[in-house]
Amino acid sequence: MGNGKLLHGGDYNPEQWLKSPDILKRDLELMRKARVNLVTLGVFSWSMLEPEEGKYDLDWLGEIIDNLYAQGIMVDLATPSGAKPAWLAQKYPEVQRVGADRVRELYGNRHSHCYTSPVYREKVRAIDQALARRFRVHPGIVMWHVSNELGGECHCELCQAKFREWLKEKYATLDRLNEAWNSAFWSHIYSDWSQIESPAPHGEGAMHGLVLDWKRFVTSRTLDFYRMERDAVRELMPEAKFTVNMMYRFDGLDYAKFAPELDIISWDDYPTWHKAGESDEDICLKSAMMHDFFYSLKGKPFWMMESSPSMTNWQPVSKVKKPGVQMLSGLNAVAHGADAVMYFQWRQSRGAVEKFHGAVVGHDGREDSRVFCETAELGKALEQLAPLAGVPREREAAIVHDQESKWAMEGSQGPRNIGLGYWDEVMLHYRALQKNAVTVDFIGQDGDLSGYKLIVCPMLYMLREDFAEKLRGFVAKGGTLVLTYWSGVADETDLCRLGDTPFGLTDVLGLRRLEIDGMYEGEKRRCVSAVAGERAEAYGSVLCEVAKSETAKPILVYAEDFFKGAPAVCVNRYGRGRAYYLASRFEPDFYSGLYRGLASSLFDLPITTPLPDGVLPARRGDWLFLQNTSGRTATVMRRRLQPYGTLIVNLKTKEKLIF
Ligand code: GLA
Ligand code: GLA
């Protein structure tokens, strides 16, 4: 797809400038200067492409695609379903989404369609096919960008009917459904399918199994809509490739279900650089973690489909990227497996909601602006780094992330309704591994564990039987497992496991759970070394589990209250491997220590000496990236790194590049 190049470009929305041919011409010149080789076109063009029902005007788009192609710029062509024309909503009110409160939305904004409505599907299919028919032979179209940032749910009658159908297919009988949802509680037994309604603020919310199934259904409906669009294009263009742009820590969909149906994973990255109270290192790690998450969805290079070249306009406070941060963040994406660095948007809008959102070309239209110059510089660097295109990452450690488990855990009432801080927990493990230059993947319970030496399960509340079995095999054969509190609690419909827990793993861990205690914000429980005389210490927070160790060897024990003496951290030998159990959430230093030890014993690390503060490592194939996320100069491998500078070392050839 990249033809051996790293891709560089962004969302190009020329429909805003059709009356200014001079601007469109200038865009081409500026794109050449910024070394742009890919643009996303047509995301929000529907009302220009079909100004009246059934009357298509694709000529203007054709001319733009031709002009781009003439200077070697490829196109990621969008289907316009994310934002519909006003005439469509006016003529067919059923295309508008209905909220959980059962109120139908008025026309406005975007991403507000019902994904079940047959009329909407028919209209989307028709415009998608008009585009495919016209552009299928164009050599410039390298990718189809289906819709935009899929998300949201619809509660209209059409969707309710589909939900019931989906449930019928899943459970076959009402008996099974009632069983799976434990609906005998509070007398919620359903005696007819038509009684079932989606969750609502003024209706059902207490039936955890129902709420969880609704979330699964929303994913399946959204995926079904995606498939409809993909197939509409594919019918006319069998070799077409497809992507959808995904979002940061998005909770509304189970992205893992989309991965097999996409040719490339792409996502939109908008970090809150220079945020008060948070270091740029931590901000960078949050993006890096998502890059790794998205790489892992297919275990293949991905595209960073959008990012702001300067500020966003929707965060509480919009900060510009300081000098050098554009390069830092672009190269960070590449280090973690991106083959494309793209922006939203190419040219800043004059009006409407995103007129103050950062863009490569600002309202002044100048090529000597700081943003444009830094973008062009990054374009040059990406050309230099072409050998990285398509290069895969090592398989070393994997963190288990299961969206359904997260939904179930967070949808449950108790043990800590003020928040479980799932991503904070994940970040503690990720950060410590990443800072030791360990390559971290994210896998779900369908994931393949082969090749990994370390598997981390943070709060794997809903642990499936088949996955517990996989973990047992993994440890028995010599793998290292780290599993935390609040794992192995419930089954796939959120029914609690009966008997000893963590479900399926008590012998692997050499212990069983007795109780779990919720902690107030700021409340801490002291833990000390299990070996008398040793000074190690840590503090448990958020949730503190009490377990009874059978064969597990305690490393840290609780030192307070009636918890005193219970294992806080322990390790158990099982087969040829080891399983660590963490009974609580500790401070970052604890994880640094734990993973420094594990990383040096399990992996052949590309760096073994500590890096200066703020310098982050990342490895992609033979290339080691060392990035200075601090505003100060830093020295690494005898090279001086400017604030936000990057050193790239080829571990085989020893070649060094500095940006
Ligand atoms: C009330 C209700 C019970 C139960 C408890 C839980 O007392 O009557 O049904 O919900 O709260 O604390
Ligand atoms: C998202 C959308 C874009 C734009 C940007 C702004 O990523 O996909 O259309 O609104 O946010 O940050």
Side-chain angles (χ1 to χ4, degrees):
M1 267 159 268
N3 294 328
K5 284 189 220 160
L6 290 175
L7 300 165
H8 187 222
D11 274 39
Y12 183 35
N13 299 308
E15 60 278 345
Q16 300 170 93
W17 306 99
L18 292 188
K19 291 186 179 140
S20 314
D22 51 322
I23 285 188
L24 296 178
K25 199 162 150 232
R26 176 86 173 130
D27 279 338
L28 292 169
E29 194 185 327
L30 290 174
M31 282 182 192
R32 192 167 53 244
K33 292 191 172 172
R35 298 172 195 245
V36 164
N37 52 26
L38 177 74
V39 296
T40 300
L41 265 182
V43 185
F44 303 115
S45 301
W46 195 347
S47 62
M48 294 288 248
L49 296 170
E50 190 182 357
E52 276 176 55
E53 187 170 7
K55 278 205 178 151
Y56 300 109
D57 176 7
L58 312 190
D59 291 345
W60 65 269
L61 186 62
E63 200 180 318
I64 283 175
I65 295 175
D66 288 344
N67 291 339
L68 289 164
Y69 186 68
Q71 67 175 53
I73 299 174
M74 300 296 152
V75 170
D76 167 37
L77 187 60
T79 67
S81 60
K84 63 183 107 60
W87 59 254
L88 179 58
Q90 187 181 40
K91 183 159 178 205
Y92 307 102
E94 72 161 59
V95 305
Q96 288 295 113
R97 219 168 252 187
V98 171
D101 56 3
R102 308 311 195 247
V103 175
R104 195 177 290 279
E105 289 181 20
L106 298 178
Y107 179 72
N109 295 313
R110 58 176 174 176
H111 305 163
S112 59
H113 57 269
C114 166
Y115 39 43
T116 298
S117 156
V119 176
Y120 197 63
R121 286 181 174 228
E122 180 197 315
K123 297 293 162 196
V124 168
R125 188 181 144 82
I127 180 76
D128 289 358
Q129 290 214 321
L131 287 166
R133 205 168 285 118
R134 168 77 182 248
F135 299 115
R136 64 183 156 184
V137 291
H138 204 294
I141 312 294
V142 291
M143 182 64 62
W144 285 79
H145 177 292
V146 174
S147 207
N148 191 57
E149 293 193 335
L150 302 175
E153 46 191 60
C154 179
H155 296 256
C156 75
E157 274 313 317
L158 296 165
C159 288
Q160 302 290 349
K162 283 284 173 198
F163 181 40
R164 292 175 197 127
E165 260 174 48
W166 184 89
L167 290 169
K168 261 187 215 168
E169 196 160 309
K170 176 167 183 177
Y171 294 108
T173 68
L174 274 176
D175 243 15
R176 284 211 198 120
L177 173 140
N178 283 313
E179 190 75 14
W181 292 354
N182 197 40
S183 59
F185 192 69
W186 282 0
S187 209
H188 281 211
I189 292 174
Y190 294 101
S191 55
D192 194 282
W193 294 96
S194 63
Q195 293 154 0
I196 302 171
E197 280 267 344
S198 63
H202 54 307
E204 189 58 274
M207 187 81 74
H208 290 170
L210 179 150
V211 176
L212 179 61
D213 274 336
W214 169 255
K215 288 178 188 289
R216 289 175 167 136
F217 165 77
V218 169
T219 287
S220 113
R221 254 318 48 205
T222 309
L223 187 54
D224 189 70
F225 192 88
Y226 159 78
R227 283 193 195 115
M228 180 279 293
E229 290 212 66
R230 178 199 60 194
D231 295 345
V233 172
R234 214 185 240 172
E235 269 172 36
L236 299 164
M237 195 178 168
E239 71 293 357
K241 304 254 183 279
F242 300 88
T243 191
V244 297
N245 52 337
M246 299 179 169
M247 292 175 275
Y248 179 84
R249 297 188 185 181
F250 184 61
D251 212 40
L253 294 171
D254 183 359
Y255 282 149
K257 300 272 188 305
F258 283 77
E261 316 237 5
L262 300 168
D263 292 289
I264 204 149
I265 300 291
S266 70
W267 83 286
D268 302 342
D269 181 29
Y270 292 100
T272 51
W273 292 110
H274 320 309
K275 190 177 179 186
E278 200 169 358
S279 71
D280 280 334
E281 178 182 275
D282 279 345
I283 307 271
C284 190
L285 277 165
K286 284 180 172 173
S287 274
M289 183 164 89
M290 293 315 285
H291 289 321
D292 289 351
F293 174 88
F294 287 112
Y295 177 93
S296 308
L297 280 181
K298 280 186 97 67
K300 276 193 196 161
F302 63 95
W303 289 3
M304 178 165 75
M305 186 62 93
E306 294 179 24
S307 62
S308 175
S310 59
M311 59 166 55
T312 63
N313 72 335
W314 47 263
Q315 290 165 357
V317 172
S318 305
K319 305 288 293 175
V320 293
K321 280 176 165 166
K322 290 186 183 175
V325 174
Q326 170 85 314
M327 182 68 83
L328 176 89
S329 57
L331 296 184
N332 188 248
V334 173
H336 287 268
D339 273 0
V341 174
M342 310 275 284
Y343 313 102
F344 179 90
Q345 58 181 328
W346 167 255
R347 185 181 278 275
Q348 199 163 28
S349 302
R350 285 199 74 187
V353 65
E354 295 186 311
K355 63 184 182 296
F356 297 128
H357 193 284
V360 178
V361 183
H363 292 142
D364 61 12
R366 298 189 66 95
E367 62 184 89
D368 58 0
S369 69
R370 184 170 72 83
V371 173
F372 188 86
C373 293
E374 290 194 32
T375 304
E377 228 182 290
L378 177 52
K380 214 154 103 190
L382 294 173
E383 281 186 359
Q384 226 180 317
L385 294 173
L388 271 147
V391 170
R393 297 152 22 115
E394 308 291 308
R395 259 164 109 87
E396 292 186 330
I399 293 179
V400 177
H401 165 85
D402 184 281
Q403 186 62 43
E404 296 189 350
S405 171
K406 180 173 184 288
W407 282 334
M409 179 174 73
E410 291 176 345
S412 289
Q413 200 147 312
R416 194 175 191 267
N417 299 330
I418 58 171
L420 297 167
Y422 170 80
W423 283 115
D424 294 343
E425 173 73 38
V426 174
M427 191 52 154
L428 285 164
H429 301 266
Y430 177 80
R431 185 175 198 279
L433 286 165
Q434 189 57 45
K435 289 195 70 157
N436 278 295
V438 176
T439 302
V440 183
D441 284 347
F442 285 81
I443 56 167
Q445 298 194 55
D446 293 317
D448 165 19
L449 306 189
S450 60
Y452 296 116
K453 289 187 175 155
L454 173 66
I455 304 286
V456 181
C457 298
M459 302 172 90
L460 190 55
Y461 167 85
M462 179 197 287
L463 174 58
R464 283 183 356 211
E465 201 158 345
D466 60 328
F467 193 63
E469 207 43 56
K470 270 195 208 170
L471 290 175
R472 299 166 71 80
F474 169 77
V475 181
K477 284 193 234 119
T480 300
L481 171 69
V482 175
L483 182 130
T484 79
Y485 61 94
W486 217 221
S487 292
V489 179
D491 75 2
E492 290 99 308
T493 60
D494 203 16
L495 293 178
C496 290
R497 298 288 187 184
L498 301 179
D500 290 344
T501 55
F503 171 78
L505 294 175
T506 49
D507 54 344
V508 175
L509 297 163
L511 51 79
R512 65 192 162 88
R513 174 189 297 118
L514 302 177
E515 293 184 79
I516 186 144
D517 194 26
M519 304 282 279
Y520 285 99
E521 281 300 285
E523 189 184 2
K524 295 209 178 310
R525 191 160 277 136
R526 187 161 169 260
C527 308
V528 295
S529 172
V531 181
E534 255 187 33
R535 286 192 42 204
E537 186 184 65
Y539 287 84
S541 63
V542 183
L543 289 171
C544 290
E545 226 167 61
V546 193
K548 169 140 180 39
S549 157
E550 310 281 357
T551 56
K553 192 170 135 247
I555 298 171
L556 290 179
V557 292
Y558 290 108
E560 292 177 342
D561 212 331
F562 80 93
F563 285 68
K564 199 166 177 172
V569 175
C570 46
V571 61
N572 192 50
R573 293 209 154 271
Y574 181 81
R576 285 189 277 136
R578 284 176 301 174
Y580 288 80
Y581 164 76
L582 315 185
S584 187
R585 184 175 307 172
F586 307 103
E587 61 281 15
D589 281 354
F590 164 80
Y591 301 89
S592 306
L594 173 72
Y595 288 114
R596 196 177 312 117
L598 288 178
S600 56
S601 68
L602 296 174
F603 306 110
D604 184 15
L605 298 173
I607 38 155
T608 43
T609 48
L611 291 167
D613 271 359
V615 174
L616 288 176
R619 188 170 163 197
R620 183 169 177 188
D622 291 333
W623 304 81
L624 173 67
F625 287 62
L626 297 165
Q627 299 202 279
N628 181 10
T629 65
S630 79
R632 300 171 302 275
T633 56
T635 306
V636 271
M637 294 183 161
R638 290 192 296 281
R639 298 293 171 109
R640 202 153 163 265
L641 279 185
Q642 293 303 317
Y644 308 115
T646 299
L647 170 67
I648 305 178
V649 186
N650 187 304
L651 297 167
K652 277 227 175 94
T653 64
K654 308 292 170 216
E655 179 193 359
K656 287 192 173 83
L657 299 165
I658 286 211
F659 296 98

